[in-house]
Amino acid sequence: MVQFFKNGKSRKDMIHVYILISSALDKLIKDYETTGSFKHRDNLSEDEKELKRLRKEVKYGNRYFKARSLDNGAKIKVIRQNSDDYSVSPMCKTLKILL
């Protein structure tokens, strides 16, 4: 669709033929011209990427906050239980377990 637009097809015709909302077509064109990609992750601003990274950090921190006060045996148990979902090294670092 973006290629049709770039080749001179009018927005009005494209919206009518492809049954699009004008804002959807505008977003497709903007995303393609900005990053060349239509993936949401590729079109995030730097602020949105930073916010996403910080939310992930908070999620990790909250999940393991209670485990920090446990003894080493309990910490290792937490790591083993979550090793399928999360990387072991960051969990060890968060729980202050030496590898």
Side-chain angles (χ1 to χ4, degrees):
M1 283 187 253
V2 174
Q3 199 61 39
F4 287 138
F5 180 75
K6 290 177 89 174
N7 289 337
K9 189 145 179 118
S10 74
R11 285 179 72 248
K12 184 177 179 181
D13 290 342
M14 290 183 65
I15 290 168
H16 179 71
V17 170
Y18 295 107
I19 310 170
L20 291 172
I21 298 171
S22 61
S23 62
L25 178 61
D26 293 340
K27 183 173 180 350
L28 287 172
I29 293 167
K30 179 183 165 253
D31 288 350
Y32 183 78
E33 290 175 347
T34 305
T35 62
S37 173
F38 300 111
K39 294 181 181 176
H40 175 71
R41 163 186 42 187
D42 295 338
N43 291 299
L44 293 175
S45 70
E46 292 303 316
D47 289 339
E48 290 170 323
K49 288 177 185 176
E50 178 71 5
L51 182 59
K52 189 173 183 178
R53 185 187 68 74
L54 291 171
R55 282 182 178 153
K56 190 173 184 180
E57 271 185 31
V58 167
K59 179 180 174 186
Y60 274 116
N62 286 341
R63 184 168 184 156
Y64 301 113
F65 181 73
K66 291 180 183 176
R68 284 185 179 183
S69 64
L70 300 175
D71 60 62
N72 283 347
K75 291 178 184 181
I76 291 170
K77 184 178 178 183
V78 168
I79 291 169
R80 285 188 178 141
Q81 288 173 343
N82 292 289
S83 64
D84 291 337
D85 298 326
Y86 301 101
S87 178
V88 172
S89 294
M91 286 192 290
C92 288
K93 187 176 178 181
T94 302
L95 296 174
K96 298 181 180 175
I97 298 283
L98 299 176
L99 292 175

